[in-house]
Amino acid sequence: MKYILALMLSLSLSSIAIAANQTTTLRTPTGQLVSVGDSYTELVTRMDQSPLSMNSYEWKQGKNRYMAMDYLYQIENTVYTVTVVNNQVKKIEWINKDQ
């Protein structure tokens, strides 16, 4: 029984350790800034690289529902997830891959 509890504790702690951090701005490889509130066009122009992957899902905001897209970019050892809703950057999360 102790081993099961220890396993459950270690799994829950490891999931906390890799949780994404949220930010309002990211610096692109060319030194430009992408911020929450920028348009999708500004994101693409400033990033000047293809995303590693894309994921679409439904975003609920109050009673409204929108199509959201997550774009994953890697800049050096950091992976950024940029969420675009209704042609606007709504959220930027990052995970450092060195840890």
Side-chain angles (χ1 to χ4, degrees):
M1 186 67 174
K2 290 181 185 179
Y3 296 113
I4 293 173
L5 290 174
L7 176 65
M8 291 175 59
L9 180 61
S10 67
L11 290 175
S12 65
L13 289 177
S14 66
S15 66
I16 292 171
I18 60 171
N21 301 296
Q22 204 162 353
T23 186
T24 58
T25 305
L26 73 87
R27 186 169 301 276
T28 69
T30 60
Q32 298 186 49
L33 296 176
V34 174
S35 301
V36 171
D38 287 348
S39 70
Y40 170 75
T41 305
E42 291 170 319
L43 168 68
V44 171
T45 303
R46 293 177 187 159
M47 284 303 293
D48 197 31
Q49 71 181 30
S50 297
L52 298 174
S53 67
M54 297 179 288
N55 180 37
S56 63
Y57 56 94
E58 184 177 75
W59 176 284
K60 295 178 185 177
Q61 192 169 7
K63 293 183 179 182
N64 299 324
R65 296 175 184 214
Y66 302 99
M67 180 61 65
M69 290 289 295
D70 281 347
Y71 298 92
L72 259 63
Y73 294 96
Q74 184 166 350
I75 301 172
E76 295 179 3
N77 292 328
T78 306
V79 176
Y80 291 93
T81 302
V82 181
T83 302
V84 176
V85 180
N86 203 21
N87 198 36
Q88 187 177 37
V89 175
K90 289 289 187 181
K91 183 171 60 169
I92 302 171
E93 295 179 323
W94 61 274
I95 297 175
N96 192 339
K97 293 188 78 167
D98 282 341
Q99 298 175 344

